[in-house]
PDB file of all heavy atoms in Angstrom:
ATOM      1  N   ARG D 104     -86.239   3.037-122.975  1.00 85.00           N
ATOM      2  CA  ARG D 104     -85.404   3.826-122.065  1.00 85.00           C
ATOM      3  C   ARG D 104     -86.277   4.392-120.912  1.00 85.00           C
ATOM      4  O   ARG D 104     -87.289   5.029-121.152  1.00 85.00           O
ATOM      5  CB  ARG D 104     -84.712   4.957-122.808  1.00 85.00           C
ATOM      6  CG  ARG D 104     -83.803   5.795-121.946  1.00 85.00           C
ATOM      7  CD  ARG D 104     -83.075   6.824-122.776  1.00 85.00           C
ATOM      8  NE  ARG D 104     -82.224   6.181-123.811  1.00 85.00           N
ATOM      9  CZ  ARG D 104     -81.483   6.860-124.678  1.00 85.00           C
ATOM     10  NH1 ARG D 104     -81.516   8.168-124.673  1.00 85.00           N
ATOM     11  NH2 ARG D 104     -80.720   6.226-125.588  1.00 85.00           N
ATOM     12  N   GLY D 105     -85.834   4.232-119.703  1.00 82.00           N
ATOM     13  CA  GLY D 105     -86.580   4.699-118.554  1.00 82.00           C
ATOM     14  C   GLY D 105     -87.587   3.727-117.988  1.00 82.00           C
ATOM     15  O   GLY D 105     -88.268   4.007-117.009  1.00 82.00           O
ATOM     16  N   ARG D 106     -87.644   2.515-118.582  1.00 82.00           N
ATOM     17  CA  ARG D 106     -88.605   1.509-118.093  1.00 82.00           C
ATOM     18  C   ARG D 106     -88.312   1.094-116.675  1.00 82.00           C
ATOM     19  O   ARG D 106     -89.200   1.047-115.824  1.00 82.00           O
ATOM     20  CB  ARG D 106     -88.563   0.275-119.023  1.00 82.00           C
ATOM     21  CG  ARG D 106     -89.430  -0.874-118.562  1.00 82.00           C
ATOM     22  CD  ARG D 106     -89.281  -2.084-119.509  1.00 82.00           C
ATOM     23  NE  ARG D 106     -90.073  -3.173-118.991  1.00 82.00           N
ATOM     24  CZ  ARG D 106     -89.601  -4.106-118.141  1.00 82.00           C
ATOM     25  NH1 ARG D 106     -88.351  -3.974-117.643  1.00 82.00           N
ATOM     26  NH2 ARG D 106     -90.376  -5.057-117.737  1.00 82.00           N
ATOM     27  N   LYS D 107     -87.018   0.802-116.375  1.00 81.00           N
ATOM     28  CA  LYS D 107     -86.617   0.366-115.048  1.00 81.00           C
ATOM     29  C   LYS D 107     -86.919   1.462-114.012  1.00 81.00           C
ATOM     30  O   LYS D 107     -87.458   1.190-112.933  1.00 81.00           O
ATOM     31  CB  LYS D 107     -85.177  -0.035-115.011  1.00 81.00           C
ATOM     32  CG  LYS D 107     -84.733  -0.677-113.720  1.00 81.00           C
ATOM     33  CD  LYS D 107     -83.290  -1.151-113.839  1.00 81.00           C
ATOM     34  CE  LYS D 107     -82.836  -1.764-112.484  1.00 81.00           C
ATOM     35  NZ  LYS D 107     -81.385  -2.250-112.622  1.00 81.00           N
ATOM     36  N   ASN D 108     -86.556   2.695-114.355  1.00 86.00           N
ATOM     37  CA  ASN D 108     -86.769   3.792-113.463  1.00 86.00           C
ATOM     38  C   ASN D 108     -88.243   4.108-113.272  1.00 86.00           C
ATOM     39  O   ASN D 108     -88.707   4.498-112.189  1.00 86.00           O
ATOM     40  CB  ASN D 108     -86.062   5.044-113.951  1.00 86.00           C
ATOM     41  CG  ASN D 108     -84.553   4.921-113.936  1.00 86.00           C
ATOM     42  OD1 ASN D 108     -83.997   4.196-113.083  1.00 86.00           O
ATOM     43  ND2 ASN D 108     -83.855   5.607-114.815  1.00 86.00           N
ATOM     44  N   GLY D 109     -89.031   3.838-114.321  1.00 84.00           N
ATOM     45  CA  GLY D 109     -90.468   4.003-114.201  1.00 84.00           C
ATOM     46  C   GLY D 109     -91.112   3.021-113.268  1.00 84.00           C
ATOM     47  O   GLY D 109     -92.002   3.389-112.458  1.00 84.00           O
ATOM     48  N   LEU D 110     -90.605   1.800-113.314  1.00 81.00           N
ATOM     49  CA  LEU D 110     -91.118   0.781-112.363  1.00 81.00           C
ATOM     50  C   LEU D 110     -90.721   1.135-110.916  1.00 81.00           C
ATOM     51  O   LEU D 110     -91.547   0.985-109.992  1.00 81.00           O
ATOM     52  CB  LEU D 110     -90.560  -0.606-112.701  1.00 81.00           C
ATOM     53  CG  LEU D 110     -91.077  -1.226-113.975  1.00 81.00           C
ATOM     54  CD1 LEU D 110     -90.323  -2.497-114.310  1.00 81.00           C
ATOM     55  CD2 LEU D 110     -92.587  -1.483-113.888  1.00 81.00           C
ATOM     56  N   TYR D 111     -89.516   1.655-110.722  1.00 81.00           N
ATOM     57  CA  TYR D 111     -89.067   2.072-109.413  1.00 81.00           C
ATOM     58  C   TYR D 111     -89.919   3.257-108.932  1.00 81.00           C
ATOM     59  O   TYR D 111     -90.257   3.355-107.739  1.00 81.00           O
ATOM     60  CB  TYR D 111     -87.607   2.437-109.422  1.00 81.00           C
ATOM     61  CG  TYR D 111     -86.702   1.254-109.479  1.00 81.00           C
ATOM     62  CD1 TYR D 111     -85.418   1.372-110.096  1.00 81.00           C
ATOM     63  CD2 TYR D 111     -87.043   0.026-108.924  1.00 81.00           C
ATOM     64  CE1 TYR D 111     -84.541   0.290-110.152  1.00 81.00           C
ATOM     65  CE2 TYR D 111     -86.182  -1.039-108.989  1.00 81.00           C
ATOM     66  CZ  TYR D 111     -84.957  -0.942-109.611  1.00 81.00           C
ATOM     67  OH  TYR D 111     -84.103  -1.973-109.643  1.00 81.00           O
ATOM     68  N   ALA D 112     -90.278   4.157-109.853  1.00 82.00           N
ATOM     69  CA  ALA D 112     -91.073   5.340-109.487  1.00 82.00           C
ATOM     70  C   ALA D 112     -92.471   4.902-108.997  1.00 82.00           C
ATOM     71  O   ALA D 112     -92.971   5.396-108.042  1.00 82.00           O
ATOM     72  CB  ALA D 112     -91.172   6.281-110.652  1.00 82.00           C
ATOM     73  N   MET D 113     -93.077   3.963-109.734  1.00 79.00           N
ATOM     74  CA  MET D 113     -94.399   3.484-109.338  1.00 79.00           C
ATOM     75  C   MET D 113     -94.347   2.780-108.018  1.00 79.00           C
ATOM     76  O   MET D 113     -95.226   2.927-107.160  1.00 79.00           O
ATOM     77  CB  MET D 113     -94.972   2.535-110.406  1.00 79.00           C
ATOM     78  CG  MET D 113     -95.391   3.199-111.649  1.00 79.00           C
ATOM     79  SD  MET D 113     -96.390   2.090-112.751  1.00 79.00           S
ATOM     80  CE  MET D 113     -95.259   0.836-113.087  1.00 79.00           C
ATOM     81  N   LEU D 114     -93.285   2.002-107.761  1.00 78.00           N
ATOM     82  CA  LEU D 114     -93.110   1.343-106.493  1.00 78.00           C
ATOM     83  C   LEU D 114     -92.879   2.341-105.355  1.00 78.00           C
ATOM     84  O   LEU D 114     -93.420   2.176-104.255  1.00 78.00           O
ATOM     85  CB  LEU D 114     -91.938   0.386-106.573  1.00 78.00           C
ATOM     86  CG  LEU D 114     -91.727  -0.594-105.395  1.00 78.00           C
ATOM     87  CD1 LEU D 114     -92.942  -1.524-105.267  1.00 78.00           C
ATOM     88  CD2 LEU D 114     -90.467  -1.418-105.595  1.00 78.00           C
ATOM     89  N   LEU D 115     -92.160   3.421-105.666  1.00 80.00           N
ATOM     90  CA  LEU D 115     -91.898   4.454-104.642  1.00 80.00           C
ATOM     91  C   LEU D 115     -93.163   5.197-104.294  1.00 80.00           C
ATOM     92  O   LEU D 115     -93.392   5.544-103.120  1.00 80.00           O
ATOM     93  CB  LEU D 115     -90.799   5.372-105.149  1.00 80.00           C
ATOM     94  CG  LEU D 115     -90.299   6.458-104.195  1.00 80.00           C
ATOM     95  CD1 LEU D 115     -89.610   5.800-102.997  1.00 80.00           C
ATOM     96  CD2 LEU D 115     -89.355   7.423-104.904  1.00 80.00           C
ATOM     97  N   LEU D 116     -93.959   5.540-105.289  1.00 75.00           N
ATOM     98  CA  LEU D 116     -95.155   6.297-105.067  1.00 75.00           C
ATOM     99  C   LEU D 116     -96.153   5.608-104.149  1.00 75.00           C
ATOM    100  O   LEU D 116     -96.945   6.253-103.475  1.00 75.00           O
ATOM    101  CB  LEU D 116     -95.835   6.621-106.373  1.00 75.00           C
ATOM    102  CG  LEU D 116     -95.112   7.703-107.253  1.00 75.00           C
ATOM    103  CD1 LEU D 116     -95.832   7.815-108.599  1.00 75.00           C
ATOM    104  CD2 LEU D 116     -95.092   9.042-106.548  1.00 75.00           C
ATOM    105  N   GLN D 117     -96.087   4.262-104.119  1.00 74.00           N
ATOM    106  CA  GLN D 117     -97.008   3.497-103.281  1.00 74.00           C
ATOM    107  C   GLN D 117     -96.637   3.614-101.789  1.00 74.00           C
ATOM    108  O   GLN D 117     -97.492   3.298-100.911  1.00 74.00           O
ATOM    109  CB  GLN D 117     -96.986   2.003-103.673  1.00 74.00           C
ATOM    110  CG  GLN D 117     -97.363   1.739-105.111  1.00 74.00           C
ATOM    111  CD  GLN D 117     -97.234   0.293-105.449  1.00 74.00           C
ATOM    112  OE1 GLN D 117     -97.607  -0.588-104.658  1.00 74.00           O
ATOM    113  NE2 GLN D 117     -96.749  -0.003-106.605  1.00 74.00           N
ATOM    114  N   MET D 118     -95.412   4.030-101.471  1.00 77.00           N
ATOM    115  CA  MET D 118     -94.981   4.072-100.099  1.00 77.00           C
ATOM    116  C   MET D 118     -95.474   5.317 -99.402  1.00 77.00           C
ATOM    117  O   MET D 118     -95.380   5.402 -98.116  1.00 77.00           O
ATOM    118  CB  MET D 118     -93.421   4.017-100.090  1.00 77.00           C
ATOM    119  CG  MET D 118     -92.845   2.765-100.717  1.00 77.00           C
ATOM    120  SD  MET D 118     -91.039   2.798-100.655  1.00 77.00           S
ATOM    121  CE  MET D 118     -90.697   1.257-101.541  1.00 77.00           C
ATOM    122  N   PHE D 119     -95.880   6.349-100.114  1.00 75.00           N
ATOM    123  CA  PHE D 119     -96.316   7.572 -99.460  1.00 75.00           C
ATOM    124  C   PHE D 119     -97.822   7.690 -99.447  1.00 75.00           C
ATOM    125  O   PHE D 119     -98.505   7.433-100.440  1.00 75.00           O
ATOM    126  CB  PHE D 119     -95.727   8.784-100.217  1.00 75.00           C
ATOM    127  CG  PHE D 119     -94.210   8.839-100.250  1.00 75.00           C
ATOM    128  CD1 PHE D 119     -93.550   8.324-101.337  1.00 75.00           C
ATOM    129  CD2 PHE D 119     -93.539   9.340 -99.172  1.00 75.00           C
ATOM    130  CE1 PHE D 119     -92.149   8.349-101.351  1.00 75.00           C
ATOM    131  CE2 PHE D 119     -92.158   9.377 -99.179  1.00 75.00           C
ATOM    132  CZ  PHE D 119     -91.460   8.880-100.264  1.00 75.00           C
ATOM    133  N   PRO D 120     -98.356   8.018 -98.295  1.00 72.00           N
ATOM    134  CA  PRO D 120     -99.865   8.185 -98.219  1.00 72.00           C
ATOM    135  C   PRO D 120    -100.351   9.358 -99.000  1.00 72.00           C
ATOM    136  O   PRO D 120     -99.644  10.361 -99.190  1.00 72.00           O
ATOM    137  CB  PRO D 120    -100.091   8.405 -96.706  1.00 72.00           C
ATOM    138  CG  PRO D 120     -98.835   8.935 -96.179  1.00 72.00           C
ATOM    139  CD  PRO D 120     -97.730   8.296 -96.993  1.00 72.00           C
ATOM    140  N   VAL D 121    -101.582   9.240 -99.510  1.00 71.00           N
ATOM    141  CA  VAL D 121    -102.139  10.288-100.353  1.00 71.00           C
ATOM    142  C   VAL D 121    -102.320  11.602 -99.549  1.00 71.00           C
ATOM    143  O   VAL D 121    -102.263  12.725-100.107  1.00 71.00           O
ATOM    144  CB  VAL D 121    -103.552   9.840-100.893  1.00 71.00           C
ATOM    145  CG1 VAL D 121    -104.165  10.921-101.776  1.00 71.00           C
ATOM    146  CG2 VAL D 121    -103.377   8.574-101.668  1.00 71.00           C
ATOM    147  N   LEU D 122    -102.481  11.487 -98.211  1.00 74.00           N
ATOM    148  CA  LEU D 122    -102.611  12.672 -97.385  1.00 74.00           C
ATOM    149  C   LEU D 122    -101.461  13.591 -97.532  1.00 74.00           C
ATOM    150  O   LEU D 122    -101.617  14.848 -97.381  1.00 74.00           O
ATOM    151  CB  LEU D 122    -102.739  12.237 -95.889  1.00 74.00           C
ATOM    152  CG  LEU D 122    -103.171  13.287 -94.923  1.00 74.00           C
ATOM    153  CD1 LEU D 122    -104.525  13.860 -95.231  1.00 74.00           C
ATOM    154  CD2 LEU D 122    -103.153  12.733 -93.501  1.00 74.00           C
ATOM    155  N   MET D 123    -100.249  13.139 -97.855  1.00 80.00           N
ATOM    156  CA  MET D 123     -99.102  14.022 -98.005  1.00 80.00           C
ATOM    157  C   MET D 123     -99.225  14.922 -99.167  1.00 80.00           C
ATOM    158  O   MET D 123     -98.613  16.020 -99.238  1.00 80.00           O
ATOM    159  CB  MET D 123     -97.845  13.151 -98.156  1.00 80.00           C
ATOM    160  CG  MET D 123     -97.475  12.330 -96.934  1.00 80.00           C
ATOM    161  SD  MET D 123     -95.964  11.348 -97.192  1.00 80.00           S
ATOM    162  CE  MET D 123     -94.789  12.631 -97.495  1.00 80.00           C
ATOM    163  N   ALA D 124    -100.047  14.555-100.172  1.00 81.00           N
ATOM    164  CA  ALA D 124    -100.172  15.373-101.385  1.00 81.00           C
ATOM    165  C   ALA D 124    -101.405  16.234-101.358  1.00 81.00           C
ATOM    166  O   ALA D 124    -101.728  16.899-102.418  1.00 81.00           O
ATOM    167  CB  ALA D 124    -100.191  14.466-102.617  1.00 81.00           C
ATOM    168  N   MET D 125    -102.161  16.306-100.304  1.00 84.00           N
ATOM    169  CA  MET D 125    -103.429  17.012-100.261  1.00 84.00           C
ATOM    170  C   MET D 125    -103.230  18.502-100.570  1.00 84.00           C
ATOM    171  O   MET D 125    -104.010  19.092-101.306  1.00 84.00           O
ATOM    172  CB  MET D 125    -104.092  16.818 -98.923  1.00 84.00           C
ATOM    173  CG  MET D 125    -104.656  15.429 -98.666  1.00 84.00           C
ATOM    174  SD  MET D 125    -105.887  14.996 -99.927  1.00 84.00           S
ATOM    175  CE  MET D 125    -106.246  13.306 -99.413  1.00 84.00           C
ATOM    176  N   VAL D 126    -102.223  19.153 -99.958  1.00 86.00           N
ATOM    177  CA  VAL D 126    -101.989  20.547-100.189  1.00 86.00           C
ATOM    178  C   VAL D 126    -101.662  20.829-101.668  1.00 86.00           C
ATOM    179  O   VAL D 126    -102.238  21.749-102.266  1.00 86.00           O
ATOM    180  CB  VAL D 126    -100.931  21.095 -99.280  1.00 86.00           C
ATOM    181  CG1 VAL D 126    -100.583  22.555 -99.574  1.00 86.00           C
ATOM    182  CG2 VAL D 126    -101.302  20.898 -97.818  1.00 86.00           C
ATOM    183  N   ALA D 127    -100.824  19.999-102.199  1.00 87.00           N
ATOM    184  CA  ALA D 127    -100.403  20.174-103.634  1.00 87.00           C
ATOM    185  C   ALA D 127    -101.611  19.931-104.566  1.00 87.00           C
ATOM    186  O   ALA D 127    -101.785  20.667-105.528  1.00 87.00           O
ATOM    187  CB  ALA D 127     -99.262  19.184-103.976  1.00 87.00           C
ATOM    188  N   LEU D 128    -102.410  18.954-104.229  1.00 87.00           N
ATOM    189  CA  LEU D 128    -103.578  18.689-105.101  1.00 87.00           C
ATOM    190  C   LEU D 128    -104.600  19.827-105.014  1.00 87.00           C
ATOM    191  O   LEU D 128    -105.197  20.209-105.997  1.00 87.00           O
ATOM    192  CB  LEU D 128    -104.237  17.381-104.657  1.00 87.00           C
ATOM    193  CG  LEU D 128    -103.465  16.093-104.938  1.00 87.00           C
ATOM    194  CD1 LEU D 128    -104.187  14.873-104.280  1.00 87.00           C
ATOM    195  CD2 LEU D 128    -103.207  15.909-106.401  1.00 87.00           C
ATOM    196  N   TYR D 129    -104.765  20.419-103.809  1.00 89.00           N
ATOM    197  CA  TYR D 129    -105.669  21.526-103.653  1.00 89.00           C
ATOM    198  C   TYR D 129    -105.201  22.719-104.474  1.00 89.00           C
ATOM    199  O   TYR D 129    -106.023  23.348-105.183  1.00 89.00           O
ATOM    200  CB  TYR D 129    -105.728  21.892-102.162  1.00 89.00           C
ATOM    201  CG  TYR D 129    -106.704  23.058-101.875  1.00 89.00           C
ATOM    202  CD1 TYR D 129    -108.025  22.771-101.568  1.00 89.00           C
ATOM    203  CD2 TYR D 129    -106.268  24.353-101.883  1.00 89.00           C
ATOM    204  CE1 TYR D 129    -108.900  23.786-101.297  1.00 89.00           C
ATOM    205  CE2 TYR D 129    -107.145  25.389-101.609  1.00 89.00           C
ATOM    206  CZ  TYR D 129    -108.500  25.109-101.332  1.00 89.00           C
ATOM    207  OH  TYR D 129    -109.319  26.156-101.047  1.00 89.00           O
ATOM    208  N   ILE D 130    -103.894  23.049-104.435  1.00 90.00           N
ATOM    209  CA  ILE D 130    -103.370  24.167-105.179  1.00 90.00           C
ATOM    210  C   ILE D 130    -103.505  23.893-106.690  1.00 90.00           C
ATOM    211  O   ILE D 130    -103.858  24.755-107.472  1.00 90.00           O
ATOM    212  CB  ILE D 130    -101.940  24.425-104.778  1.00 90.00           C
ATOM    213  CG1 ILE D 130    -101.850  24.834-103.308  1.00 90.00           C
ATOM    214  CG2 ILE D 130    -101.289  25.497-105.663  1.00 90.00           C
ATOM    215  CD1 ILE D 130    -100.434  25.010-102.764  1.00 90.00           C
ATOM    216  N   LEU D 131    -103.195  22.644-107.092  1.00 90.00           N
ATOM    217  CA  LEU D 131    -103.287  22.289-108.493  1.00 90.00           C
ATOM    218  C   LEU D 131    -104.704  22.453-109.039  1.00 90.00           C
ATOM    219  O   LEU D 131    -104.923  23.086-110.117  1.00 90.00           O
ATOM    220  CB  LEU D 131    -102.761  20.860-108.718  1.00 90.00           C
ATOM    221  CG  LEU D 131    -102.858  20.323-110.127  1.00 90.00           C
ATOM    222  CD1 LEU D 131    -101.959  21.137-111.069  1.00 90.00           C
ATOM    223  CD2 LEU D 131    -102.434  18.853-110.154  1.00 90.00           C
ATOM    224  N   LEU D 132    -105.678  21.927-108.324  1.00 91.00           N
ATOM    225  CA  LEU D 132    -107.067  22.042-108.791  1.00 91.00           C
ATOM    226  C   LEU D 132    -107.537  23.478-108.751  1.00 91.00           C
ATOM    227  O   LEU D 132    -108.320  23.856-109.657  1.00 91.00           O
ATOM    228  CB  LEU D 132    -107.957  21.143-107.919  1.00 91.00           C
ATOM    229  CG  LEU D 132    -107.784  19.648-108.019  1.00 91.00           C
ATOM    230  CD1 LEU D 132    -108.755  18.937-107.087  1.00 91.00           C
ATOM    231  CD2 LEU D 132    -108.020  19.191-109.466  1.00 91.00           C
ATOM    232  N   ASN D 133    -107.120  24.233-107.817  1.00 91.00           N
ATOM    233  CA  ASN D 133    -107.473  25.643-107.765  1.00 91.00           C
ATOM    234  C   ASN D 133    -106.857  26.383-108.932  1.00 91.00           C
ATOM    235  O   ASN D 133    -107.506  27.335-109.477  1.00 91.00           O
ATOM    236  CB  ASN D 133    -107.044  26.254-106.428  1.00 91.00           C
ATOM    237  CG  ASN D 133    -107.578  27.666-106.207  1.00 91.00           C
ATOM    238  OD1 ASN D 133    -108.701  27.962-106.584  1.00 91.00           O
ATOM    239  ND2 ASN D 133    -106.783  28.514-105.683  1.00 91.00           N
ATOM    240  N   THR D 134    -105.729  26.012-109.313  1.00 92.00           N
ATOM    241  CA  THR D 134    -105.002  26.657-110.455  1.00 92.00           C
ATOM    242  C   THR D 134    -105.721  26.438-111.771  1.00 92.00           C
ATOM    243  O   THR D 134    -105.881  27.345-112.624  1.00 92.00           O
ATOM    244  CB  THR D 134    -103.541  26.244-110.534  1.00 92.00           C
ATOM    245  OG1 THR D 134    -102.868  26.509-109.275  1.00 92.00           O
ATOM    246  CG2 THR D 134    -102.811  26.945-111.677  1.00 92.00           C
ATOM    247  N   VAL D 135    -106.152  25.202-111.971  1.00 92.00           N
ATOM    248  CA  VAL D 135    -106.795  24.836-113.254  1.00 92.00           C
ATOM    249  C   VAL D 135    -108.333  25.025-113.240  1.00 92.00           C
ATOM    250  O   VAL D 135    -108.982  24.717-114.242  1.00 92.00           O
ATOM    251  CB  VAL D 135    -106.424  23.411-113.626  1.00 92.00           C
ATOM    252  CG1 VAL D 135    -104.937  23.207-113.810  1.00 92.00           C
ATOM    253  CG2 VAL D 135    -106.961  22.409-112.557  1.00 92.00           C
ATOM    254  N   GLY D 136    -108.857  25.502-112.127  1.00 90.00           N
ATOM    255  CA  GLY D 136    -110.292  25.781-112.061  1.00 90.00           C
ATOM    256  C   GLY D 136    -111.177  24.589-111.895  1.00 90.00           C
ATOM    257  O   GLY D 136    -112.333  24.620-112.250  1.00 90.00           O
TER     258      GLY D 136
END
Side-chain angles (χ1 to χ4, degrees):
R104 182 175 298 178
R106 175 181 177 274
K107 186 176 181 180
N108 293 331
L110 290 173
Y111 286 150
M113 288 194 298
L114 190 62
L115 184 64
L116 288 174
Q117 301 176 43
M118 301 179 183
F119 298 97
V121 181
L122 189 61
M123 294 179 60
M125 289 300 178
V126 176
L128 292 174
Y129 182 90
I130 296 175
L131 177 62
L132 291 180
N133 189 38
T134 302
V135 299

